């Protein structure tokens, strides 16, 4: 990645203080980076999710750009429409960003997302992944990892996490990347790169939620870092038919440099009491994710 | 002006083209498909400078059309039956957002069982969505109404989406002559798109944010007000269209042989033509009857209908749809709306017919009318609601 | 465009909002922990400002990190990420209803 951008100055007037997020919420952390890249020349398309609440109540909004709130399944479809409308009217220099949760992406929004990706419509889709339906009170989504407690999986989720990034790679779109709220510069660079490419761009953003994951709100960044350092979340880009591993994850190609998974899990109440078997399960999920990434680095 | 032979669907497509839409987003469903195919042909053939978003579902069709409309584009979609039901969430969203947009509904029966023929249930089910709803009778009216829909939707007093209904096959796929005006005249009459707000990054605007009950109530109340204003706008648009293109339809309802009629057949859609034919025959046989053809059901033409029907000896509302456990949706609307003007209602009968696409001919209308009139003239009253069933034992 | 918008606003009630500070109110009344910066330790590294979810701490070039107590929620993220351990979370003297 190129030079380190001056994030703070650009971030100051993006997410406005006094919004409605919980303590330590990862969402404004991510939105600040979006704001840092595009200023107010951005149109966010937000389906039903925590962000609909975080940004606060009419007649004000805590984001210094345009925001269109839309029905739960439709972030990608509306973004396609806006992008087409702007293009037809000759409006340039405004970035359309669909900003959707894991539920709005991996579950109910999957069809419209896949449609927009297949059509290669020109916008950036960010899936911020807090690994459950938080808006409605911590129900499991298909992106909830195995073993995690949610209110609809009181004994822990049995199924593995759906890896939406892989699905998007399979669409053959020009740019796919993973990012984490713990690495804002990395996310910044990926957004910048995506903005320079015409067509459909997908960025996955890992976003630990203190409320839903049951950890202390001061630890949001720490937990997000641990997800990367244990190898649970792998930061990479996919373009030109290849995976390009990103700085924070690069050393972890060497498995011995990954922290033990339990260091990530132990801060999170949602994993309390997971069995040995479930832990092994998660560990092998991590291993196979890495194997897959390595294959596509060739 | 040129005369062209067009199916209802091609009349829609041609009007959309002549309205110079910027974005079309649609998903195929019988019997709407030929609208989308024709528009794709226009666009790919360079006849229409627009972007077509070939979406993966109707839910996304309206969502994408909405997005482009928010961004300032003139947008259009079309669907039928299951497609319309699939996009239902968005049908409501678009009107509540006050975004001008036009959609054609080729009315088709809802399954199961699978059935592609016309009835009006899909159209009726949209009546509480906040869309302006019009229903055409023939290809010429489809063409005219579609053009007018853009004008009505984009009127600053309105800013609500408009849907235009047309019957599957008997209109959508049947060719009829259509007078097609000059493009320059259409451009001049329709003008450039206007809308309440545009989200294109030129200023930071936020739409649809979480709102308190009090704000929300204001927004919804304002939609009601816009609907009321739309009554006058529809009349005006009908009038100015007539001045420019030589065709007016009389506003929200069309009256056929009503000036001296004692009895009235009330209905909407393509079969109104058959009802008119029946009325011609009935008149020859000495029956004093006319047809009240409803062109718009939202806003509901309460005033027009009251004027036309208040002194009727018998009103027969024939409908291709029913609200289960109640009566025909249009009958309920007529009865309810007339109460705004008088507590004394004429004798009114609701006949449910043609449901599931059953063919109803002028002979059936003749039968229904005669039966009703004969009852009333003999001092009896038939039951208020009946099914006129094609497989009835005669 | 702006003209259109203004016109619409006078004609109709449409759910359009605008960016504003404090949409969910001030936090000073209910926050139970607050970050206190020891400016002598602050190296102006910007970590706190980068991560603060509420954009309520900013680094002033000469002074160091300054907290906006009107909107700081007291989540403790800034203290946790500060490499210099310049921020401590202290209990509010008065909190609760
Ligand atoms: C069609 C529809 N179904 C259900 C809901 C209720 N709903 C709103 S947000 C939400 C979950 C959102 O989860 P996610 O996308 O992960 O975002 P998060 O709240 O976690 O940020 C649900 C189920 C809805 N608004 N619309
Ligand atoms: S539940 Fe989690 S993601 Fe949602 S607002 Fe609260 S902290 Fe943020
Ligand atoms: S993180 Fe700590 S050292 Fe860095 S600017 Fe903030 S207070 Fe100062
Ligand atoms: S405690 Fe939380 S809200 Fe307050 S300044 Fe620190 S990071 Fe921001
Ligand atoms: Mg979620």
């Amino acid at each position: 990645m190129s030079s380190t951008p001056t994030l703070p100055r650009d971030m100051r007037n993006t997410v406005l203080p006094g919004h409605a997020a919980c303590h330590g919420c990862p969402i404004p952390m991510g939105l600040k980076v979006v704001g840092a890249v595009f200023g107010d020349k951005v149109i966010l398309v937000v389906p039903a999710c925590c962000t609909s609440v975080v940004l606060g109540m009419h007649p004000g909004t805590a984001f210094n750009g345009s925001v269109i709130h839309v029905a739960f399944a439709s972030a990608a479809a509306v973004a396609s429409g806006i992008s087409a409308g702007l293009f037809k009217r000759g409006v340039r220099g405004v970035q359309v960003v669909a900003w959707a949760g894991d539920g709005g992406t991996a579950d109910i929004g999957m069809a419209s997302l896949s449609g927009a990706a297949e059509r290669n419509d020109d916008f950036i889709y960010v899936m911020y992944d807090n690994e459950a339906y938080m808006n409605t009170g911590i129900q499991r989504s298909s992106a909830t990892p195995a073993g995690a407690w949610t209110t609809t999986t009181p004994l822990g989720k049995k199924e593995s996490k759906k890896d939406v990034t892989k699905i998007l790679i399979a669409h053959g779109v020009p740019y796919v990347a993973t990012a984490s709220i713990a690495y804002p510069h990395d996310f910044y660079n990926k957004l910048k790169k995506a903005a320079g490419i015409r067509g459909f761009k997908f960025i996955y953003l890992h976003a630990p939620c203190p409320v839903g994951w049951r950890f202390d709100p001061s630890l949001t960044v720490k937990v997000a870092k641990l997800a990367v350092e244990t190898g649970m979340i792998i930061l990479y880009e996919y373009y030109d038919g290849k995976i390009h591993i990103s700085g924070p994850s690069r050393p972890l190609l060497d498995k011995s440099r990954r922290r033990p998974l339990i260091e990530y899990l132990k801060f999170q109440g949602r994993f309390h009491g997971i069995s040995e078997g479930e832990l092994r399960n998660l560990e092998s999920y991590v291993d196979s994710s890495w194997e897959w990434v390595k294959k596509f680095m060739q | 002006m040129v005369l062209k032979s067009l199916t209802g669907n091609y009349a829609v497509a041609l009007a959309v083209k002549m309205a110079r839409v910027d974005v079309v987003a649609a998903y195929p469903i019988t019997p709407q498909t030929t609208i989308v195919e024709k528009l794709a042909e226009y666009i790919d053939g360079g006849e229409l400078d627009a972007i077509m978003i070939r979406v993966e579902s109707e839910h996304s069709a309206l969502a994408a059309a909405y997005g482009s409309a928010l961004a300032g584009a003139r947008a259009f979609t079309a669907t039928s039956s299951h497609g319309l039901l699939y996009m239902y969430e968005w049908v409501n969203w678009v009107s509540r957002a006050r975004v001008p947009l036009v959609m054609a509904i080729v009315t088709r029966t809802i399954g199961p069982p699978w059935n592609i023929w016309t009835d009006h249930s899909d159209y009726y089910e949209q009546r509480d969505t906040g869309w302006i709803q019009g229903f055409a009778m023939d290809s010429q009216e489809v063409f005219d109404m579609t053009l007018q829909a853009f004008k009505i939707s984009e009127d600053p007093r309105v800013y609500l989406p408009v849907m235009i209904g047309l019957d599957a096959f008997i209109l959508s796929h049947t060719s009829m002559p259509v007078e097609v005006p000059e493009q320059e005249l259409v451009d001049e009459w329709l003008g450039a798109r206007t809308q309440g707000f545009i989200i294109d990054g030129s200023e930071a605007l936020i739409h649809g944010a979480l709102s308190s009950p009090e704000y929300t109530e204001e927004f919804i109340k304002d939609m009601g007000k816009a609907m009321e204003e739309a009554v006058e706008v529809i009349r005006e648009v009908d009038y100015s269209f007539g001045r420019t293109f030589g065709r007016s339809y009389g506003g929200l309802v069309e009256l056929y042989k009503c000036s001296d009629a004692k009895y009235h057949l009330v209905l909407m859609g393509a079969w109104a033509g058959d009802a008119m034919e029946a009325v011609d025959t009935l008149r020859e046989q000495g029956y004093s009857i006319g047809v009240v053809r409803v062109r718009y059901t939202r806003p509901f033409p309460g005033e027009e209908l009251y004027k036309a029907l208040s002194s009727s000896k018998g009103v027969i509302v024939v409908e291709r749809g029913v609200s289960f456990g109640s009566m025909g949706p249009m009958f309920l609307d007529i009865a309810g709306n007339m109460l705004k003007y008088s507590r004394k209602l004429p004798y009114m009968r609701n006949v449910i017919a043609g449901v599931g696409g059953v063919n109803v001919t002028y002979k059936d209308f003749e039968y229904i009318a005669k039966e009703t009139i004969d009852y009333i003239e003999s001092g009896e009253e038939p039951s208020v609601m009946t099914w006129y069933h094609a497989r009835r034992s005669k | 465009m702006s003209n259109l918008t203004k016109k619409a606003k006078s004609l109709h009630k449409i759910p359009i909002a605008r960016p504003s500070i404090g949409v969910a109110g001030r936090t000073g009344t209910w926050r139970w922990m607050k970050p206190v910066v020891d400016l002598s330790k602050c190296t102006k590294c910007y970590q706190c400002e980068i991560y603060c979810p509420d954009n309520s701490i900013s680094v002033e070039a000469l002074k160091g990190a300054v907290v906006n107590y009107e909107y700081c929620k007291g989540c403790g993220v800034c203290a946790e990420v500060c490499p210099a351990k310049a921020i401590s979370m202290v209990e509010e003297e008065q909190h609760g209803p």
Side-chain angles (χ1 to χ4, degrees):
Chain A
M1 277 294 145
S2 51
S3 65
T4 303
T6 49
L7 276 180
R9 198 191 56 230
D10 300 337
M11 276 177 160
R12 275 191 189 165
N13 293 311
T14 55
V15 174
L16 304 173
H19 56 61
C22 315
H23 290 63
C25 178
I27 292 170
M29 295 184 191
L31 284 177
K32 279 166 69 174
V33 181
V34 174
V37 176
F38 303 110
D40 60 2
K41 290 290 168 209
V42 64
I43 300 175
L44 288 186
V45 184
V46 179
C49 59
C50 272
T51 310
S52 343
V53 180
V54 165
L55 295 181
M57 299 254 285
H58 182 88
T61 282
F63 185 74
N64 201 6
S66 293
V67 185
I68 302 173
H69 294 273
V70 304
F72 196 15
S74 302
V78 174
S80 292
I82 296 165
S83 162
L86 294 179
F87 183 82
K88 182 68 193 359
R89 287 185 51 229
V91 177
R92 304 288 182 266
V94 177
Q95 182 62 54
V96 180
V97 176
W99 175 270
D102 48 303
T105 303
D107 296 336
I108 198 166
M110 186 46 98
S112 67
L113 168 63
S114 175
E118 183 270 336
R119 294 188 301 271
N120 199 25
D121 287 341
D122 186 24
F123 63 92
I124 299 173
Y125 190 107
V126 178
M127 163 189 176
Y128 72 89
D129 186 13
N130 55 18
E131 303 191 328
Y133 299 166
M134 296 312 176
N135 172 300
T136 38
I138 327 174
Q139 295 85 23
R140 64 91 89 177
S141 80
S142 58
T144 303
W149 164 92
T150 68
T151 54
T152 48
T153 53
L155 300 178
K157 192 190 174 208
K158 299 276 178 292
E159 305 78 11
S160 281
K161 183 180 179 70
K162 183 194 279 184
D163 189 340
V164 179
T165 316
K166 278 186 192 167
I167 300 174
L168 266 295
I169 289 175
H171 280 73
V173 295
Y175 186 77
V176 177
T178 59
S180 160
I181 56 99
Y183 299 91
H185 292 91
D186 177 69
F187 181 37
Y188 181 100
N189 287 328
K190 286 169 176 169
L191 282 166
K192 267 242 154 95
K193 184 181 259 177
I197 299 170
R198 260 200 80 79
F200 189 90
K201 289 83 60 173
F202 178 85
I203 301 180
Y204 168 95
L205 180 68
H206 192 235
C209 158
V211 174
W213 299 12
R214 300 294 196 241
F215 61 78
D216 189 89
S218 65
L219 300 180
T220 306
V221 177
K222 182 173 190 156
V223 168
K225 275 211 168 104
L226 281 167
V228 172
E229 289 167 359
T230 55
M232 182 79 179
I233 294 294
I234 310 171
L235 302 185
Y236 62 84
E237 295 170 285
Y238 180 90
Y239 55 87
D240 296 342
K242 254 199 258 183
I243 282 183
H244 308 258
I245 196 121
S246 308
S249 289
R250 196 170 300 128
L252 311 180
L253 281 164
D254 174 358
K255 187 176 172 180
S256 67
R257 301 190 59 183
R258 293 175 213 152
R259 289 172 169 237
L261 190 58
I262 194 71
E263 288 189 22
Y264 169 59
L265 306 184
K266 73 179 180 202
F267 287 105
Q268 304 175 47
R270 64 173 177 161
F271 287 114
H272 274 179
I274 67 162
S275 66
E276 270 299 305
E278 281 169 323
L279 180 60
R280 298 286 155 265
N281 237 346
L282 279 172
E283 283 169 348
S284 61
Y285 172 86
V286 171
D287 287 344
S288 66
S289 299
W290 278 96
E291 285 318 306
W292 183 85
V293 162
K294 282 179 188 166
K295 249 186 260 165
F296 277 83
M297 286 176 68
Q298 312 304 314
Chain B
M1 198 270 289
V2 286
L3 204 62
K4 280 193 181 171
S5 173
L6 293 176
T7 65
N9 278 358
Y10 287 165
V12 171
L14 185 59
V16 168
K17 175 183 158 226
M18 296 189 79
R20 296 192 192 276
V21 299
D22 299 300
V23 176
V24 176
Y27 190 79
I29 181 170
T30 306
Q32 154 266 34
T33 34
T34 53
I35 298 178
V36 187
E37 289 167 357
K38 193 47 126 187
L39 284 167
E41 205 178 301
Y42 286 145
I43 293 170
D44 280 7
E47 282 182 73
L48 170 60
D49 178 20
I51 294 174
M52 182 149 204
I53 309 178
R54 291 150 175 104
V55 285
E56 77 300 328
S57 75
E58 287 86 356
H59 197 269
S60 289
L62 193 49
Y66 170 77
S68 63
L70 270 190
R74 192 171 269 166
F76 173 80
T77 189
T79 190
S80 284
S81 186
H82 289 261
L84 181 56
L85 303 188
Y86 196 64
M87 65 165 62
Y88 188 60
E89 183 183 26
W90 270 100
V91 175
N92 287 271
W93 195 284
V94 172
S95 54
R96 282 162 193 256
R98 306 297 300 274
V99 170
L101 194 146
V102 174
M103 166 157 73
I105 308 297
V106 188
T107 57
R108 163 184 157 178
T109 302
I110 298 166
W114 284 122
N115 176 321
I116 55 172
W117 293 278
T118 186
D119 81 19
H120 297 166
S121 322
D122 53 357
Y123 173 93
Y124 277 140
E125 286 196 6
Q126 313 307 313
R127 66 190 182 278
D128 300 333
T129 57
W131 283 59
I132 291 174
Q133 291 185 275
F135 210 109
M137 181 173 81
D138 54 28
S139 290
Q140 181 72 62
E141 193 183 22
V142 166
F143 178 87
D144 296 346
M145 257 189 157
T146 305
L147 272 185
Q148 292 173 8
F150 287 100
K151 185 111 177 143
I152 296 163
S153 183
E154 294 169 11
D155 189 294
R157 290 164 288 178
V158 179
Y159 290 153
L160 286 171
V162 179
M163 62 173 78
I164 301 298
L166 61 150
D167 287 278
F169 299 108
I170 48 177
L171 182 44
S172 69
H173 288 64
T174 307
S175 290
M176 296 171 215
V178 175
E179 284 184 18
V180 181
E182 302 298 328
Q183 179 70 57
E184 295 73 58
L185 211 53
V186 173
D187 291 344
E188 199 180 306
W189 177 78
L190 186 54
R193 175 178 172 87
T194 51
Q195 61 192 101
F197 60 100
I198 292 178
I199 297 186
D200 62 2
S202 58
E203 59 178 316
L205 291 180
I206 291 89
H207 181 265
L210 193 65
S211 285
S212 68
E214 291 73 18
Y215 272 118
T216 309
E217 184 186 43
E218 277 187 16
F219 302 141
I220 294 172
K221 238 183 106 209
D222 196 77
M223 287 173 67
K225 189 172 139 258
M227 265 294 175
E228 276 166 29
E229 300 239 13
V231 172
E232 197 45 46
V233 173
I234 292 169
R235 289 177 189 146
E236 277 176 33
V237 167
D238 182 56
Y239 179 76
S240 82
F241 191 88
R243 301 234 349 187
T244 310
F245 302 107
R247 277 181 307 282
S248 275
Y249 294 86
L252 289 82
V253 299
E254 184 192 14
L255 303 178
Y256 182 76
K257 301 203 171 164
C258 283
S259 54
D260 62 340
K262 290 196 184 118
Y263 291 92
H264 297 85
L265 270 170
V266 185
L267 72 181
M268 70 176 188
W271 66 357
D274 303 281
M276 289 171 184
E277 217 177 311
V279 160
D280 291 344
T281 320
L282 287 163
R283 287 250 169 192
E284 279 165 23
Q285 296 169 14
Y287 290 93
S288 171
I289 185 164
V291 171
V292 175
R293 184 170 71 85
V294 176
R295 299 182 68 237
Y296 284 87
T297 56
R298 286 293 178 276
F300 198 76
E303 193 184 336
E304 278 89 341
L305 288 169
Y306 176 73
K307 278 189 191 146
L309 304 175
S310 57
S311 52
S312 178
K313 278 188 83 176
V315 176
I316 314 160
V317 182
V318 194
E319 297 189 71
R320 278 194 192 269
V322 68
S323 177
F324 296 110
S326 183
M327 304 175 79
M330 189 155 70
F331 182 89
L332 297 169
D333 266 335
I334 295 174
N337 275 274
M338 287 196 28
L339 284 172
K340 287 201 287 200
Y341 304 94
S342 166
R343 297 205 164 213
K344 227 175 124 294
L345 297 188
Y347 169 75
M348 297 192 359
R349 183 185 193 196
N350 190 194
V351 179
I352 311 297
V355 169
V358 163
N359 193 26
V360 178
T361 68
Y362 70 96
K363 279 208 167 1
D364 297 304
F365 285 116
E366 239 182 270
Y367 176 86
I368 293 167
K370 271 189 192 165
E371 187 195 59
T372 313
I373 295 172
D374 290 349
Y375 263 124
I376 293 176
E377 295 288 335
S378 66
E380 279 181 67
E381 284 195 1
S383 57
V384 173
M385 185 187 138
T386 46
W387 278 77
Y388 183 75
H389 191 16
R391 281 168 55 81
R392 70 195 175 280
S393 44
K394 266 193 179 161
Chain C
M1 256 111 271
S2 319
N3 281 346
L4 269 180
T5 312
K6 274 177 207 127
K7 197 163 142 208
K9 288 231 108 172
S10 60
L11 265 177
H12 293 296
K13 302 213 180 310
I14 290 178
I16 285 282
R18 288 174 197 269
S20 36
I21 292 176
V23 282
R26 298 191 177 169
T27 56
T29 48
W30 54 260
R31 182 182 50 235
W32 61 93
M33 297 290 279
K34 68 172 179 185
V36 175
V37 184
D38 180 347
L39 289 171
S40 69
K41 288 192 193 160
C42 174
T43 63
K44 306 178 190 108
C45 73
Y46 285 101
Q47 290 298 299
C48 53
E49 178 169 347
I50 286 174
Y51 290 109
C52 171
D54 290 83
N55 253 346
S56 292
I57 185 164
S58 46
V59 180
E60 289 180 13
L62 297 174
K63 211 169 159 197
V66 178
V67 179
N68 175 351
Y69 288 110
E70 269 184 44
Y71 297 115
C72 159
K73 290 185 181 136
C75 66
V77 163
C78 53
E80 180 62 36
V81 297
C82 173
K85 303 258 172 285
I87 305 176
S88 37
M89 299 303 293
V90 304
E91 208 163 320
E92 289 279 5
E93 277 150 37
Q94 284 177 311
H95 59 82

